[in-house]
Amino acid sequence: MGRAPCCDKANVKRGLWSPEEDAKLKDYIESFGTGRNWISLPQRAGLRRCGKSCRLRWLNYLRPNIKHGEFSDEEDRIIFNLFTTIGSRWSIIAAQLPGRTDNDIKNYWNTKLKKKLMGLLPNSRRKPQPPAPLPPPPQLRTTTPTPVTSPFSQQLLLLPQPQSPSPCSPPPSKVYHHLAYINDCSISPATPSSFGTVNSVQSSCHETFTVKDQAFLGFGYDPRSFDSYENQQVMMKMKEESVHLHQDGFDFDQDTNQQRWAEAMSNEVYLGWEYDLIVG
DNA sequence: AATTTACACAACCGCGTCGTA
DNA sequence: CTACGACGCGGTTGTGTAAAT
């Protein structure tokens, strides 16, 4: 037995909203408010719509101060920073961008920003060429680690800290892909050769949390949600980043790292690190 | 000019969470 | 404490339109 439907689908209108329906909904809410009950609102407002549909229409389109149109560079930066920090929690991201809705940001990310940031935004509307063969795993060398500046982490450090979980409580397993929760934590063991085989996170209050097997600390992306082509592009991009970081003086255990890369590729899970935050 | 393809974004769906009786 | 209904969220689908063929 499935979940009971929220409304009688046979008797509600679906699809795009007409200007008349918009006017009805807007007039009603501006006059009487939502009454804290979206389910009964369409009936009260004289609309043949599902309450959920009314809520969405109001929140995403009709309510005052909604900002439409192009996103600014500053908004791009904020979205990117937050996405790399907390992942696809669009409502939280939207809360940082007055006038923007979670739906708007989600659409923007999925259709434009993700590609723009990966350098994939096509010049035309032509179908992209099939991905080039992936390069072989980077040949890694052993050097003395020195502080590394990542172009991403410089900005991440400016972000407001998330409300929860607190730095001193174990984050839920799903957030291990995201960096905000280790902002003031250090990676343990943090010896150079252990990069890529991180198995625990130590907080600033010296509590050590175990990272689940197969969970990786990364830039915040969860490429499993990308399609195959983009996933490859993302991983290639990040691979380049890690090579760059390596060349800047970070050390990796060559065998382990190559093995992990192969694993990451086959599982479509990206393995990566965020040095500044780990150190900080 | 007609058709196809790709894109943008609006809207829907289902599930988890929260508030309340 | 539990059950239930409503809300909110994130993923997915649908639709209109512009660009390419």
Side-chain angles (χ1 to χ4, degrees), chain A residues 208-219:
Chain A
T208 299
F209 312 133
T210 301
V211 176
K212 285 173 65 178
D213 188 33
Q214 300 299 311
F216 301 117
L217 297 169
F219 285 100

Side-chain angles (χ1 to χ4, degrees), chain A residues 83 88 110 114 221-227 230-231 268:
Chain A
F83 186 87
S88 58
N110 286 331
K114 187 169 72 181
Y221 288 93
D222 184 356
R224 288 170 296 183
S225 64
F226 295 174
D227 65 34
E230 284 175 333
N231 184 29
E268 295 198 336

